[in-house]
Amino acid sequence: QKEVEQNSGPLSVPEGAIASLNCTYSDRGSQSFFWYRQYSGKSPELIMSIYSNGDKEDGRFTAQLNKASQYVSLLIRDSQPSDSATYLCAAAGGKLIFGQGTELSVKP
Amino acid sequence: NAGVTQNPKFQVLKTGQSMTLQCAQDMNHNSMYWYRQDPGMGLRLIYYSASEGTTDKGEVPNGYNVSRLNKREFSLRLESAAPSQTSVYFCASSDNTGASRGYTFGSGTRLTVV
């Protein structure tokens, strides 16, 4: 059974802090990795993708991938209350396999 | 830019009733998917269609059937609804089954079975 694991949270950070979200995956054949943001009552929205080891930055978001450790992370710098959402990690070796999501709460 | 459109947005069914959830995409994607999302369970794949004319079971197919009507449309049918099928259902599409560019999701159907 291919799995993607995330801490369900909730993760609470103060406004302006760095939020760190983590994810591990079991399928070593996974080639592509994604972070989706899901606001309450809404559909998942793709915010980051990463395909090779290292860091990928896009604005306040940085995705990190370590294939040897089968570990993916998402850093959100200067966290804002509008970042409060559930963040879903997904791994693709064929179809996407999703983690259960981490709820992030950014307190003003 | 509609993307992935799902209908209906909300539905209440009685146990034993049947219904079809509709999904259409206008991005010329080959692959389409049906997921259900329950609290604490993440997104679980029900069925998928890698291309027009093909469908395959996902992780939780029992109690569901699907039809890939054409390249644009992929419907999910509940033949005899059960309370355990109360969930939020998402349709998604991608341009290839390798999912190398991720999926685009519809807005979801919130289904309650009483």
Side-chain angles (χ1 to χ4, degrees):
Chain A
Q1 178 89 356
K2 300 175 184 178
E3 293 181 342
V4 175
E5 298 286 341
Q6 297 179 252
N7 280 331
S8 58
L11 172 66
S12 183
V13 300
E15 184 175 356
I18 296 175
S20 177
L21 304 161
N22 304 313
C23 168
T24 59
Y25 61 95
S26 63
D27 181 15
R28 286 196 173 274
S30 298
Q31 297 295 319
S32 309
F33 304 87
F34 306 90
W35 284 98
Y36 285 81
R37 177 177 62 200
Q38 186 175 25
Y39 292 115
S40 181
K42 301 296 186 182
S43 59
E45 170 195 12
L46 180 64
I47 56 171
M48 288 290 285
S49 57
I50 187 165
Y51 307 104
S52 53
N53 281 328
D55 295 358
K56 179 182 177 182
E57 187 174 318
D58 183 359
R60 295 186 296 112
F61 297 98
T62 298
Q64 300 174 316
L65 174 61
N66 183 325
K67 289 187 177 180
S69 300
Q70 295 176 250
Y71 179 88
V72 190
S73 66
L74 179 70
L75 300 177
I76 306 174
R77 290 182 300 282
D78 188 24
S79 295
Q80 301 297 310
S82 59
D83 294 325
S84 297
T86 295
Y87 289 80
L88 300 166
C89 174
K95 299 176 295 299
L96 278 190
I97 305 296
F98 287 86
Q100 67 270 45
T102 298
E103 183 183 349
L104 172 66
S105 177
V106 181
K107 302 296 187 184
Chain B
N1 293 340
V4 179
T5 302
Q6 290 185 237
N7 283 297
K9 301 273 190 285
F10 301 92
Q11 185 71 47
V12 178
L13 287 179
K14 293 182 179 178
T15 298
Q17 286 186 317
S18 62
M19 78 163 294
T20 299
L21 282 64
Q22 309 285 353
C23 176
Q25 52 92 8
D26 62 1
M27 296 172 285
N28 201 36
H29 283 171
N30 288 316
S31 303
M32 298 184 73
Y33 312 83
W34 275 106
Y35 285 89
R36 61 177 289 174
Q37 187 174 37
D38 303 294
M41 301 291 289
L43 287 161
R44 293 186 291 169
L45 184 63
I46 305 170
Y47 270 94
Y48 68 100
S49 170
S51 61
E52 186 178 353
T54 69
T55 61
D56 283 289
K57 294 179 181 179
E59 181 185 356
V60 288
N62 291 345
Y64 305 95
N65 285 300
V66 291
S67 296
R68 183 76 181 265
L69 304 171
N70 48 54
K71 191 171 186 179
R72 292 187 62 249
E73 297 173 289
F74 188 38
S75 63
L76 178 71
R77 182 160 178 85
L78 287 70
E79 291 291 352
S80 179
S84 61
Q85 294 178 304
T86 293
S87 188
V88 181
Y89 291 86
F90 288 104
C91 177
S93 69
S94 69
D95 60 0
N96 59 71
T97 52
S100 61
R101 285 192 283 274
Y103 295 174
T104 300
F105 284 86
S107 58
T109 295
R110 282 146 185 84
L111 175 66
T112 301
V113 183
V114 297

